[in-house]
């Protein structure tokens, strides 16, 4: 059997190694148009910033090493220019010599990945404008920064690459501005959770221009002027385009393979395309989203590697199936860690799902053990069924651990209430006896059983200030003085029973505290006295961060609301 693989990064390299492990006699040829194979895409921004000092660390394998261990013929700087499914051949161009030749195959695997979206804007071919996809792109950016010592950079796009490059260039002392057409960074997160990311990047000196699309570029002496919609132009020493990616599916299209969402290659559960014997994996393929069941493009290394293994199995006569992607991801944003899995609240509602959520701010480990750090968790589930839909967590420590637990729970079809029963490891330096994931389950159970009713940040503008309801803040007097929501009265939770007569039991009570815990206790006290109570989802710490962010987006300046830790 002769297998030809187009693309030698995550999907292609993984598939080649798996095929060899399953079939010692197969002839395997990998064509990679860049000069490197099996390189660490996710590490590229960190070489630009100098965190990864040695460029050799970016390449996990070399063509020589691949052949030595796996007897795989890896040919870099070879571009497959056409596929003829009827004759089972590919046309290949040797980018070193310019020569063109045919290569026959019995099975063909396409792993071309995704390419940076480069819109047709005036001036976009300026030599001070860069994109980041390959090792060569990384070297060009690093070389430009080392040689020219730019003082400023505009990054168009606020996704994974844009944010990671922003951090690394900022750490090198460069003034960084992120321009993003959406009014938030990192679309996997809901706007309220993205507020924590905005605060962090601004705290580290990054300027955000959110809600502004780039409309063109022009040279300005030794600099680049970036024109924007709805804002004055910016001038910088260099520009990096990180607007997004699109499936690199032109080869598949020209071969007559069926395409789907945004030009992605359509595949079945076996990763087989519309043409028998041709498989495709990675960022270029359309998959089913595990939560919604809808078509999705998921440009992440984890799914690409899993798909490659499945395609390799099926090429070798086994029967493996890909059950869908749920988009689990994690990113370092200066001192913060941000992670998500499944779908967010915005996507759920856009998909017609009646979503509810719990928002909590637990410490990463036991409070009495030194060094505990607060994280913010948002767990989204379907109202009525409690089906887990997704989760987002932002914090300083323990974030990756919790998101992986929640990702596993979604994959296992657990409900939000089932989280309370998970038996998770505990020791004071690592967690609490009631882990944050368990706490999310307890909160979901309270909602499911009617023990607690919630009100949300989006409800606040409409809350009556006419004394028809009671607006109650149960934090300490000192916390209340540092910042509170207009119209709320302050009765600390520990004084509530003694001051219950100050409240009218005929009026609904909307309660808030710093993190949601004290207001929950207050709600139970008030319910015991016959009051109708609604507990705020998230606490004042969360509320202040989101409201600060609204000012940041509107004026590019935070409101300065106090955000003390609980």
């Amino acid at each position: 059997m002769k297998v030809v693989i187009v693309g030698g990064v995550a999907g292609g390299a993984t598939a080649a190694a798996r095929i060899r492990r399953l079939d010692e006699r197969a002839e395997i040829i990998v064509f990679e148009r860049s000069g490197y194979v099996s390189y660490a895409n996710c590490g590229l921004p960190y070489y630009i910033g100098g965190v990864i000092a040695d460029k050799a660390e970016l390449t996990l394998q070399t063509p020589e090493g691949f052949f030595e261990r796996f007897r795989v013929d890896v040919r870099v700087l070879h571009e497959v220019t056409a596929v003829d499914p009827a004759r089972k051949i590919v046309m290949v161009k040797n980018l070193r010599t310019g020569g063109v030749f045919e290569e026959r195959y019995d099975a063909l695997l396409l792993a071309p990945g995704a390419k940076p979206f480069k819109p047709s804007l005036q001036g976009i071919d300026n030599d001070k404008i860069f994109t980041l996809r390959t090792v060569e792109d990384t070297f060009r950016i690093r070389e430009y920064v080392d040689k020219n010592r730019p003082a400023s950079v505009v990054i168009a796009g606020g996704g994974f690459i844009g944010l990671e490059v922003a951090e690394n260039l900022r750490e090198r002392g460069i003034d960084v501005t992120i321009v993003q057409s959406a009014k938030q960074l990192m679309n996997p997160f809901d706007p309220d959770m993205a507020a924590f990311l905005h605060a962090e990047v601004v705290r580290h000196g990054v300027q955000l221009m959110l809600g502004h699309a780039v409309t063109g570029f022009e040279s300005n002496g030794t600099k680049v002027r970036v024109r924007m919609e709805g804002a004055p132009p910016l001038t910088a020493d260099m520009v990096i385009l990180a607007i997004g990616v699109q499936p690199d599916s032109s080869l598949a299209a020209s071969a007559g393979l069926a395409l789907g969402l945004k030009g992605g290659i359509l595949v079945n559960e076996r990763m087989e395309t519309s043409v028998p014997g041709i498989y495709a994996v990675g960022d270029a393929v359309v998959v089913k989203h595990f939560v919604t069941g809808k078509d999705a493009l998921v440009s992440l290394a984890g799914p690409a590697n899993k798909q490659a293994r499945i395609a390799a199995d099926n090429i070798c006569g086994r029967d493996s199936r890909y059950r869908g992607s749920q988009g689990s991801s994690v990113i370092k944003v200066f001192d913060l860690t941000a992670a998500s899995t499944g779908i967010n609240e915005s996507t759920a509602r856009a998909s017609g799902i009646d979503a509810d959520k719990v928002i909590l701010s637990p410490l990463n480990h036991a409070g009495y053990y030194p060094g505990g750090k607060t994280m913010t968790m948002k767990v989204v589930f379907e109202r009525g069924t409690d089906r887990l839909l997704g989760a987002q967590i932002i914090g300083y420590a323990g974030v990756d651990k919790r998101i992986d637990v929640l990702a596993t729970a979604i994959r296992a079809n657990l409900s939000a209430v089932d989280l309370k029963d998970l038996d998770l490891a505990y020791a004071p330096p690592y967690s609490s006896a009631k882990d944050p994931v368990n706490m999310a389950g307890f909160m979901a159970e309270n909602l499911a059983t009617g023990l607690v009713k919630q009100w949300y940040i989006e409800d606040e503008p409409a809350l009556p200030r006419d004394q028809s309801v009671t607006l109650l803040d149960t934090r300490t007097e000192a916390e209340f003085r540092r910042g509170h929501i207009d119209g709320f009265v302050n009765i600390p939770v520990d004084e509530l029973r003694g001051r219950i007569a100050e409240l009218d039991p005929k009026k609904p009570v909307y309660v808030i505290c710093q993190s949601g815990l004290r207001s929950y206790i207050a709600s139970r006290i008030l319910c015991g006295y016959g009051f109708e109570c609604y507990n705020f989802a998230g606490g004042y710490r969360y509320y202040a961060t989101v409201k600060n962010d609204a000012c940041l987006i509107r004026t590019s300046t935070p409101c300065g609301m106090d955000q003390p830790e609980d």
Side-chain angles (χ1 to χ4, degrees), residues 116-323:
F117 180 66
K118 195 172 181 179
S120 298
L121 298 176
Q122 183 180 355
I124 201 166
D125 293 326
N126 190 302
D127 62 4
K128 298 178 182 64
I129 299 176
F130 300 86
T131 58
L132 179 57
R133 181 192 189 189
T134 66
V135 174
E136 288 91 342
D137 294 335
T138 309
F139 292 163
R140 277 192 290 271
I141 296 172
R142 172 72 179 266
E143 181 181 359
Y144 184 87
V145 171
D146 290 345
K147 180 180 178 181
N148 295 281
R149 303 292 178 184
S152 59
V153 59
V154 169
I155 298 174
F160 287 97
I161 293 296
L163 215 48
E164 289 171 346
V165 171
E167 175 182 344
N168 278 277
L169 292 180
R170 186 71 192 120
E171 295 288 4
R172 292 194 61 166
I174 300 173
D175 290 336
V176 176
T177 300
I178 299 177
V179 180
Q180 169 84 328
S181 58
K183 291 188 176 181
Q184 70 168 83
L185 302 174
M186 295 297 295
N187 287 332
F189 293 84
D190 284 311
D192 55 348
M193 295 297 285
F196 291 88
L197 302 179
H198 300 165
E200 179 73 359
V201 298
V202 169
R203 186 172 73 86
H204 281 84
V206 174
Q207 183 180 357
L208 293 179
M209 297 295 293
L210 301 176
H212 299 286
V214 173
T215 59
F217 308 91
E218 58 188 58
S219 294
N220 183 26
T222 60
K223 298 180 182 291
V224 181
R225 179 172 292 162
V226 182
R227 297 196 304 272
M228 295 182 295
E229 188 178 78
L234 297 170
T235 300
D237 294 315
M238 64 183 297
V239 174
I240 295 178
L241 297 179
I243 298 172
V245 296
Q246 55 190 349
D248 192 351
S249 56
S250 57
L251 185 66
S254 64
L257 276 61
L259 304 182
L261 179 67
K262 296 181 180 179
I265 305 170
L266 290 177
V267 293
N268 58 22
E269 285 186 323
R270 303 177 77 249
M271 306 312 299
E272 194 169 29
T273 70
S274 58
V275 176
I278 301 180
Y279 298 77
V281 301
D283 297 353
V285 305
V286 178
V287 297
K288 295 296 181 184
H289 197 285
F290 184 80
V291 175
T292 66
K294 296 181 178 180
D295 286 351
L297 293 168
V298 180
S299 298
L300 295 168
N305 277 275
K306 296 179 186 71
Q307 293 160 14
R309 179 185 174 92
I310 288 167
D313 282 358
N314 292 313
I315 287 171
C316 293
R318 301 165 73 92
D319 186 19
S320 292
R321 308 277 171 153
Y322 188 66
R323 304 302 183 189

Side-chain angles (χ1 to χ4, degrees), residues 37-38 59-67 74:
V37 66
S38 190
T59 52
L60 307 178
Q61 187 59 272
T62 64
E64 296 77 16
F66 231 116
F67 184 80
V74 177

Side-chain angles (χ1 to χ4, degrees), residues 195 457 460-461 542-552 559 561:
I457 195 166
E460 185 267 329
Y542 160 86
Y543 173 88
T545 300
V546 177
K547 290 300 181 180
N548 262 327
D549 190 59
C551 288
L552 178 67
C559 294
M561 298 180 70

